[in-house]
Amino acid sequence: VENSVYDKYSSTITLTSGGDTSIGSVYAAKSKSDIDISSVGNTTISGTVSSSGGATIDISSGLTTTTGAISISNSGGGGDVITIKGKNIIVDAGNNWGVSVRGGYYGFSKETAVNIGTDDTESVTIKSNDIGIISQYEHADINVYGDKLNLEVAGDGAYGIYTGNNSDCYTPTAEVNVYSNQTKITMTGEYSSAVVAFSDSTLNIHGGLEASGDNAILVRGQSTVNVNQNGEGVVKLDGDIEFNNQYGTGPHVSANNTVNVNLTTEDSYLNGKIYVSNSSISEGGKVETPENVGTGNFTGMNLSLSNGATWNVKGDSFVNTLDGENGNIVVDMTKDEEGNNKIASVDILNSNKSKGTEVSGTGAVSDYLAANGDKAVQEFADSVTYNDEAIDALIEFQEQYFKHIIVR
């Protein structure tokens, strides 16, 4: 089929091929529109796949399914479902968003979803020069299945996966669920963020995650991000975790979010700081309030380090709950040009007795240790503070929380 498949009359269109199928674009526009395209071989949609008004689109192949951008818009109130299946799935969106479910400002009135892959899918690849996956406003859901998800996103200020509501009034809220065993998000532009959740939205990476960007995770407005909560994947985060404290008032711009990151393998790591933006941080993420910046105590940063997983701290940071066993925290204690430590504080409110975790420093601190002995070790221990109970001596610090402190 050289031209597009376009259903605007609430009809049913079924195309079945015993070999390969190639089509221009696919569009369904009415509540009873139903388009079903399947091939034993490869299915290629050279243009976009889109729907509105409560339509259903199902595209599948026995081998590789290739499409342009996939989108559901708000026209008609929602209820649309787009399902893409194949052994391998490629979405090449160019300058468009890769996969998007986006209602109007007040969202969809019905459950609306894009489902990519199945449990039998080997790989899903999504390419975009803007946003890889975006779910926005009420009843907007995106679900990704299969063994591997690869997101390749270019462009300055781009997002890998984004959920958001632009307000706190939507129930149920926008949600993205990635059920892939391993997800890799590659951001090549400046000022980019790999995983983003704004305004009461939810983003779940159920398996492992490898993500790079200025921000590995960016949250705002009472949103929730969960990474590897089953503990079965490898997590490699190159970038910061930012709790964005936007100018303005109201919960939808608050930095009080929930972020749960579970690092459970020796090759898992976080290379970056955990911080509240547009503010200065005192103990545990409590904001020292500059003018015109939202306020609050940020209570939802939960980090688990186990089995040799490492957090390489890259700047002043906070964690509300540190959990796990036998992890590593490495603090950069080298000096800046003015002779001050690059990292002034790492505030951990509740350690849950993270037994066996090692805390180490780098750079000038090792020289200072050699010259000052126990005094230097005590000073280094004090640079990582536990505010759930007072720690008056190094031995108490060691016995209650860590098997030992190493300084490199």
Side-chain angles (χ1 to χ4, degrees), residues 23 42 157 206 323-324 349 360:
I23 296 173
N42 301 303
H206 292 276
D323 209 340
L349 273 73
S360 63

Side-chain angles (χ1 to χ4, degrees), residues 373-382 391-402 404-405:
D374 291 343
K375 174 177 177 289
V377 175
Q378 176 66 64
E379 289 176 350
F380 177 74
D382 289 342
I391 298 177
D392 299 321
L394 177 59
I395 186 170
E396 182 180 356
F397 178 86
Q398 290 174 308
E399 287 179 350
Q400 292 195 14
Y401 297 103
F402 301 107
H404 62 286
I405 297 173

Side-chain angles (χ1 to χ4, degrees), residues 157-224:
Y159 295 153
I161 303 177
Y162 170 91
T163 58
N165 288 308
N166 281 2
S167 179
D168 59 325
C169 62
Y170 301 131
T171 304
T173 61
E175 185 168 326
V176 171
N177 282 284
V178 177
Y179 296 99
S180 305
N181 293 323
Q182 193 67 33
T183 297
K184 183 177 181 179
I185 304 175
T186 304
M187 312 296 297
T188 57
E190 295 182 352
Y191 315 113
S192 61
S193 298
V195 172
V196 181
F198 287 168
S199 302
D200 266 329
S201 63
T202 301
L203 204 165
N204 298 310
I205 308 291
H206 292 276
L209 172 64
E210 183 176 345
S212 62
D214 291 275
N215 287 310
I217 298 173
L218 170 61
V219 287
R220 184 179 72 219
Q222 300 184 151
S223 295
T224 299

Side-chain angles (χ1 to χ4, degrees), residues 7 77 80 96 142 167 204 233 271 286 303 358 370 394 408:
D7 183 356
D80 300 72
N96 298 312
I142 296 175
S167 179
N204 298 310
N271 288 333
K286 182 178 178 180
L303 177 65
E358 297 179 353
L394 177 59
R408 298 186 181 125

Side-chain angles (χ1 to χ4, degrees), residues 81-94:
V81 177
I82 295 178
T83 301
I84 309 294
K85 302 174 183 177
K87 185 176 182 180
N88 298 288
I89 297 171
I90 300 171
V91 179
D92 195 344

Side-chain angles (χ1 to χ4, degrees), residues 268-273 303 305 308-317 322 327-334 343 345-346 348 357-363 365 380 383-384 402 405-408:
S268 292
Y269 61 78
L270 164 61
N271 288 333
K273 62 182 180 290
L303 177 65
L305 301 171
T310 299
W311 175 22
N312 292 306
V313 185
K314 299 297 183 181
D316 289 355
S317 298
L322 175 66
N328 301 291
I329 299 175
V330 180
V331 183
D332 184 356
M333 297 293 287
T334 57
I343 299 176
S345 65
V346 181
I348 303 173
T357 297
E358 297 179 353
V359 178
S360 63
T362 61
V365 68
F380 177 74
S383 73
V384 181
F402 301 107
I405 297 173
I406 59 172
V407 181
R408 298 186 181 125

